[in-house]
Amino acid sequence: MGHVSMAFEGKAQVAEKPAEFEARQTGRRCFVILPYAAPVTGDAPAIDFDAVFNEIIQPVAEDLDLDCIRSDRVSRSGLIHREMVENIIDADVVIADISLGSPDIFFELGIRQAARRAGTVVMCHAGTSEDFNITGVRALDYELPPEGSPSRVQILADCRALLRTHIKNSLDNRATDSIVHSLIPGISIRLPDRPLPERRYHIYKLGLAGMTGPKAARQIEIVTGDLADVDDIDVWVNPENTRMELARLHDSSVSATIRYLGSRRDRHGFVRDDAITRLLRAQVGASHRTGIEPATTMLTRAGALAKSNKVKLIVHVAAHQGEPGRGYQLIGAYRKCVTNSLAAVDDYNARFGAKMNAKSALRSVLIPLFGARSPGESPHERVQGLIHAAHQFLLHSPDTKIERIAFLAWTQVDLELCQAALHRLGLKPAGIPKGPGKA
């Protein structure tokens, strides 16, 4: 086990957080796994884990805008239970202190190592690391010098800076720190998705320097809930395959939803005019047999969605590529799907600008979180890639008429992935989430 020396001062006289401390809902969570206090025996160090948490871990987590949750504040007499396991699996960062060699902490650390490729920080008190060596795991050593030590202020500052750097690198670079994922790349463990039934808009304004008027109003949004309920966004992006073959009507995909909602149906709900399929096939033409290049876009009208959801245009983008016997896989250049889709909207606005007044220009685009659950990169990296591409487009397209780019978060996991990605871009939510008609 590699080691980085750290030293902690003794417990300061600070107000302690209540046991039911609730996170501030920044979208990124830090779950801290600490041992329960143990009686001092022999020459074993007396470790004040309250001081470890209060004086170092929590201030660093708050400085990085992480919602900090302590394991022994949610545990039930030390028992492993559902809430704890969910935090271990789903937190952006897990900090585990292995100083006492507690079996429960090694068990919880093992769960994290199997569940997440990155975002785990291991700590141990100086002098204990040799007893609990884990080959391949890099640990941060620390010590708790007595109060009154002349160097304690500087030691504390150094400890915080080192831990901050370690956590920030883990969040930003997402380098693999799991032995399990190093040995078995591509392993995937995730929590079941919990659908978010209510539509809410989480707004992040770009605040572009030097821009005034409409350009200063550009924003990225997260819209929660069912795609079928969204009725205030001009353009929907449909992540299609390279053959532009829409999904079956009753599939659970975005493609199938757009196909069904865009169709003309009788009073029993049966499709009488498969409008989106008809319109898209006319665009594809002879390319239906050979397919089109990945990340290529094609535009169609919205069919019945124009009336039911006020959709003015659908951008179909070739985001998946098929292989006989293996089905469709997300293309490697999936970020280009976002860029090309937004560029296609710009091109549409430019081509028909003379026929449109200022109010009829396409100014809002809805993008699903396509590929977030596909094999390969982690969901965090996929969502980060999608949102980063949209952010860069708004930053570097001074003439675009697009003001709102919304990402659809159907589940709680989707929402947290988006919040974490936007936080990494330095964007903060503009107030509390808004309901329909208030975005």
Side-chain angles (χ1 to χ4, degrees):
M1 185 186 326
H3 305 285
V4 179
S5 295
M6 302 180 68
F8 291 169
E9 65 170 325
K11 184 176 180 180
Q13 300 300 314
V14 295
E16 187 172 333
K17 298 284 183 181
E20 64 273 15
F21 168 69
E22 286 288 337
R24 294 156 302 165
Q25 299 302 313
T26 64
R28 301 197 305 177
R29 282 179 292 157
C30 175
F31 190 63
V32 183
I33 305 173
L34 292 174
Y36 288 91
V40 178
T41 57
D43 297 327
I47 306 173
D48 186 346
F49 292 110
D50 284 339
V52 174
F53 181 79
N54 293 328
E55 297 301 311
I56 299 297
I57 297 175
Q58 186 170 343
V60 171
E62 290 182 350
D63 180 55
L64 293 171
D65 229 3
L66 289 163
D67 299 333
C68 198
I69 306 169
R70 185 169 166 176
S71 62
D72 55 352
R73 301 290 173 86
V74 300
S75 67
R76 300 164 187 161
S77 302
L79 298 175
I80 302 295
H81 55 89
R82 181 185 178 91
E83 182 183 359
M84 179 174 284
V85 173
E86 286 182 347
N87 278 304
I88 292 169
I89 293 175
D90 213 32
D92 294 273
V93 177
V94 165
I95 300 175
D97 190 317
I98 62 171
S99 298
L100 301 185
S102 307
D104 55 334
I105 289 185
F106 281 113
F107 180 75
E108 292 157 22
L109 180 59
I111 295 173
R112 176 68 178 188
Q113 288 269 309
R116 294 293 287 271
R117 184 182 62 79
T120 306
V121 178
V122 179
M123 299 169 56
C124 57
H125 189 279
T128 64
S129 57
E130 290 78 9
D131 299 329
F132 314 117
N133 185 57
I134 308 174
T135 303
V137 173
R138 183 171 183 261
L140 305 182
D141 285 355
Y142 67 86
E143 58 180 312
L144 295 170
E147 289 193 34
S149 171
S151 59
R152 76 180 184 90
V153 173
Q154 185 59 51
I155 288 174
L156 179 59
D158 291 343
C159 290
R160 285 176 173 163
L162 183 59
L163 183 60
R164 185 185 190 281
T165 298
H166 201 78
I167 294 175
K168 192 171 188 305
N169 287 341
S170 181
L171 286 169
D172 294 344
N173 300 332
R174 310 305 293 176
T176 300
D177 55 35
S178 162
I179 298 173
V180 177
H181 284 258
S182 296
L183 297 175
I184 311 175
I187 189 173
S188 177
I189 299 174
R190 62 182 180 87
L191 295 174
D193 288 340
R194 299 190 298 274
L196 297 170
E198 196 169 13
R199 179 156 50 117
R200 286 287 182 268
Y201 294 85
H202 301 249
I203 300 171
Y204 295 73
K205 295 184 180 296
L206 268 63
L208 299 176
M211 285 192 172
T212 59
K215 292 181 180 179
R218 293 179 187 173
Q219 59 194 41
I220 294 177
E221 304 172 8
I222 312 168
V223 56
T224 64
D226 197 320
L227 175 63
D229 294 332
V230 178
D231 60 3
D232 61 348
I233 297 181
D234 298 333
V235 181
W236 286 11
V237 173
N238 175 29
E240 204 45 77
N241 54 66
T242 54
R243 295 176 66 88
M244 288 292 162
E245 295 173 330
L246 290 158
R248 293 175 299 181
L249 284 168
H250 297 130
D251 282 353
S252 60
S253 65
V254 170
S255 174
T257 301
I258 289 176
R259 179 181 179 183
Y260 182 78
L261 295 178
S263 67
R264 181 175 60 82
R265 304 178 295 280
D266 63 21
R267 62 190 182 90
H268 301 291
F270 293 108
V271 173
R272 297 309 180 195
D273 176 21
D274 195 357
I276 305 298
T277 299
R278 173 171 51 79
L279 293 168
L280 186 55
R281 283 180 178 173
Q283 290 285 327
V284 175
S287 298
H288 176 72
R289 295 182 177 181
T290 59
I292 59 177
E293 288 295 319
T296 300
T297 61
M298 290 188 171
L299 312 181
T300 69
R301 297 191 303 277
L305 280 165
K307 182 177 180 180
S308 63
N309 296 71
K310 302 183 179 66
V311 182
K312 299 176 182 177
L313 186 73
I314 297 177
V315 178
H316 307 269
V317 61
H320 300 88
Q321 196 162 24
E323 183 179 346
R326 297 180 65 87
Y328 284 97
Q329 306 294 328
L330 185 71
I331 66 171
Y334 63 89
R335 295 172 182 84
K336 286 187 65 178
C337 293
V338 174
T339 304
N340 290 357
S341 295
L342 297 172
V345 176
D346 268 356
D347 182 61
Y348 184 92
N349 278 331
R351 283 189 290 124
F352 297 98
K355 300 179 181 179
M356 297 189 297
N357 56 40
K359 292 184 178 180
S360 61
L362 305 179
R363 299 188 182 278
S364 54
V365 181
L366 179 66
I367 303 175
L369 297 180
F370 61 91
R373 295 167 181 80
S374 299
E377 293 179 322
S378 70
H380 284 263
E381 291 167 322
R382 286 274 165 77
V383 173
Q384 181 73 39
L386 297 175
I387 292 180
H388 181 266
H391 183 246
Q392 290 297 300
F393 183 89
L394 289 179
L395 287 179
H396 301 295
S397 303
D399 297 324
T400 185
K401 289 183 171 62
I402 299 172
E403 297 175 357
R404 299 170 56 203
I405 300 178
F407 287 89
L408 181 67
W410 184 60
T411 68
Q412 181 65 32
V413 171
D414 291 341
L415 174 60
E416 293 175 3
L417 289 171
C418 289
Q419 289 174 324
L422 287 160
H423 186 95
R424 292 189 195 105
L425 292 174
L427 300 178
K428 295 185 177 182
I432 62 174
K434 302 178 183 299
K438 301 176 183 180

